[in-house]
Amino acid sequence: AFGGHGGANAGGMSSRRPNEVTRPLACTLEEIYNGCTKKLKVTRRVPGQTGAVSTAEKVLQVDVKPGWKAGTKIRFQKEGDDNGRGAQDIVFVLEEKPHALFKRDGDDLKVDMTLTLEEALCGFKKPVQLLSGKTIHVTNTSVVKPGQVSRMAGYGMRMSRQPSSFGALVVTYKIQFPASLTLSQKEKIHEALSQ
């Protein structure tokens, strides 16, 4: 189990306790990659001595560790509503927000890269900005087929149990074919490919 802050515990406990309330904790891939601190305001109901229910606000702090996976649970004991049987636990469940470029697959990051037909046949060098903010160049000098995949080890997500280790960047190539070709272009392609 992972340790959190302020009485929080995270782990893969699957048994649901009856006296708990779960809340989603949405994080971007960048936040999960780098780790972050989330401060969450909760309002809890507390019965008074006369039986009247009052509300109290509290800010809970969650330290998201680099590489945590969706579904990771962070438990704050006795910080929820007091329903007469004692205060409930609040359990935050990590959710990954969709990313514009990457899709997470375990410790790997998947990305689609569109190539022109010329790039697919003649080679290319294309930049990709990683979640760390660093830019790398994906290069290839051989012919690339539609759907072909390249794995670049060490450029994926941080591994939560080994923060100095990373998964792979998995690039899937999509080839953009021209809508049409002129007779001259067809003749040049035919001449080049028939040699």
Side-chain angles (χ1 to χ4, degrees):
F2 298 106
H5 181 84
N9 291 308
M13 295 169 49
S14 58
S15 60
R16 180 174 167 81
R17 297 183 188 180
N19 200 24
E20 70 179 29
V21 60
T22 59
R23 300 268 164 79
L25 177 65
C27 293
T28 65
L29 276 183
E30 286 87 354
E31 289 173 327
I32 299 169
Y33 178 91
N34 293 301
C36 67
T37 298
K38 294 273 193 179
K39 294 191 176 183
L40 307 152
K41 185 188 284 186
V42 295
T43 303
R44 55 187 298 219
R45 289 179 300 195
V46 184
Q49 292 179 344
T50 62
V53 176
S54 61
T55 58
E57 286 188 346
K58 185 169 184 177
V59 175
L60 302 178
Q61 180 173 308
V62 178
D63 293 324
V64 177
K65 304 297 182 202
W68 270 3
K69 292 183 170 64
T72 298
K73 293 180 178 180
I74 306 98
R75 179 179 299 276
F76 287 87
Q77 294 183 338
K78 310 293 183 194
E79 294 289 359
D81 291 343
D82 188 335
N83 54 14
R85 293 181 294 143
Q88 294 178 312
D89 291 353
I90 297 179
V91 180
F92 291 102
V93 181
L94 186 70
E95 292 182 355
E96 292 172 5
K97 292 181 181 177
H99 194 274
L101 184 63
F102 299 110
K103 183 170 184 187
R104 185 175 184 180
D105 182 17
D107 293 320
D108 294 339
L109 287 174
K110 293 184 169 183
V111 63
D112 290 337
M113 183 173 284
T114 301
L115 305 175
T116 65
L117 184 56
E118 179 186 358
E119 289 171 328
L121 296 174
C122 303
F124 60 89
K125 180 179 181 181
K126 286 179 147 331
V128 176
Q129 185 172 359
L130 303 175
L131 294 177
S132 64
K134 177 183 172 186
T135 297
I136 62 166
H137 286 89
V138 178
T139 60
N140 197 324
T141 55
S142 56
V143 173
V144 175
K145 299 178 180 71
Q148 187 172 319
V149 175
S150 294
R151 286 182 63 86
M152 300 176 69
Y155 292 108
M157 285 297 289
R158 273 185 209 273
M159 297 183 184
S160 60
R161 296 183 194 275
Q162 301 171 326
S164 60
S165 299
F166 300 84
L169 179 66
V170 181
V171 183
T172 301
Y173 300 106
K174 301 190 178 303
I175 314 302
Q176 194 172 39
F177 287 84
S180 62
L181 292 171
T182 66
L183 184 58
S184 172
Q185 288 172 319
K186 289 179 184 178
E187 287 173 351
K188 286 177 182 170
I189 292 171
H190 182 71
E191 182 183 336
L193 295 179
S194 60
Q195 290 179 357

